[in-house]
Amino acid sequence: SLKSHLADGEVCRLIMKYVNDTSIENVEDIIRELGLSNTSYVLVLILNLVIVVVGLFGNIFVLYSSLKHKAIKVDKISLLLLETLTMSDIAIITLYFVPMLTTLCGKKWVLGSGMCFITGVLAEVPFYFQIMVKTIISCYRLWVCRSNRSVHGAGIGRIFMIKMGILALLVPSFSPAIVFFVHNSNFLFIPQILRCLSAHHIRAYGSTQLILI
């Protein structure tokens, strides 16, 4: 393989040269970089558009119905966890799929270096957060089923503990972002995945496939 014939320093140098050659300022034709035909490009664009529109409006509608009209008839703790899950869905769509959609529409990164940094730092945070929230929901519902208790009258103390637990989940969720800040990483647009990644991330995980595409 390529990596076995090159020293680590040379691999990193080639990776960074490739990334720099396909960064925000230099990418002009996203279709060519993705290796898509025109038909495939249109299908990917439509798919992303559907995800953004359905995801945003669907989750906002669920959140509005729950907060404004109390339309979801479950116990207060389950409702709180479901609302948290809905907000994390909105964050995922906003930070991950909306930039992807604008890139496909513009056929290059059009959001500027500031948004490249913001999405690079924060895009993965709601994914980690959502995984942990889903785990809490599963454990809570399992506890309810196993204990055979009525939870519709959950006290203020129990709800407060759940809220504190949700806030506590933000700490490990933001750990990748903290690492990026500590290492003072630069963020570069990678056209093959329609995302901005940190130079530290690329070096750490040795993405040699970027060279080979």
Side-chain angles (χ1 to χ4, degrees):
S1 65
L2 177 63
K3 189 170 183 179
S4 63
H5 290 85
L6 295 172
D8 289 342
E10 183 69 7
V11 171
C12 289
R13 185 187 69 78
L14 288 174
I15 290 173
M16 294 314 301
K17 181 181 184 302
Y18 182 85
V19 171
N20 289 332
D21 289 344
T22 56
S23 62
I24 298 172
E25 294 80 9
N26 298 317
V27 173
E28 294 297 332
D29 190 352
I30 201 71
I31 301 177
R32 175 177 57 80
E33 294 294 338
L34 286 170
L36 295 175
S37 65
N38 288 332
T39 303
S40 300
Y41 165 75
V42 172
L43 292 175
V44 172
L45 179 61
I46 292 173
L47 176 62
N48 274 269
L49 180 62
V50 171
I51 291 173
V52 170
V53 173
V54 175
L56 280 180
F57 281 97
N59 282 291
I60 290 172
F61 176 75
V62 169
L63 203 57
Y64 174 79
S65 300
S66 174
L67 295 175
K68 182 72 175 178
H69 300 289
K70 311 297 182 186
I72 302 177
K73 303 300 182 182
V74 294
D75 63 274
K76 292 181 180 180
I77 293 178
S78 295
L79 183 61
L80 176 62
L81 292 171
L82 288 173
E83 289 170 352
T84 304
L85 200 62
T86 301
M87 288 187 283
S88 67
D89 269 339
I90 294 172
I92 289 172
I93 294 167
T94 303
L95 293 171
Y96 195 90
F97 288 102
V98 170
M100 190 179 294
L101 178 62
T102 58
T103 302
L104 286 168
C105 291
K107 298 183 180 178
K108 62 179 180 179
W109 183 263
V110 296
L111 299 177
S113 57
M115 280 303 296
C116 186
F117 175 80
I118 291 172
T119 58
V121 170
L122 298 179
E124 294 180 355
V125 170
F127 283 103
Y128 298 138
F129 181 74
Q130 189 174 88
I131 290 171
M132 289 184 280
V133 171
K134 288 179 178 178
T135 302
I136 290 179
I137 292 174
S138 300
C139 293
Y140 174 71
R141 296 311 303 176
L142 179 63
W143 175 79
V144 170
C145 294
R146 291 293 299 271
S147 61
N148 197 26
R149 297 180 182 179
S150 174
V151 293
H152 290 278
I156 296 176
R158 189 182 298 173
I159 294 174
F160 177 78
M161 289 177 60
I162 292 294
K163 288 181 179 180
M164 291 299 101
I166 291 172
L167 290 176
L169 293 179
L170 291 174
V171 177
S173 299
F174 272 94
S175 57
I178 295 171
V179 171
F180 294 145
F181 277 114
V182 169
H183 288 275
N184 195 23
S185 296
N186 294 317
F187 284 82
L188 301 162
F189 175 64
I190 309 299
Q192 285 82 0
I193 57 175
L194 299 174
R195 284 191 59 198
C196 288
L197 293 179
S198 73
H200 172 75
H201 182 99
I202 296 166
R203 287 195 300 269
Y205 289 95
S207 299
T208 53
Q209 65 266 30
L210 293 177
I211 304 171
L212 302 176
I213 293 176

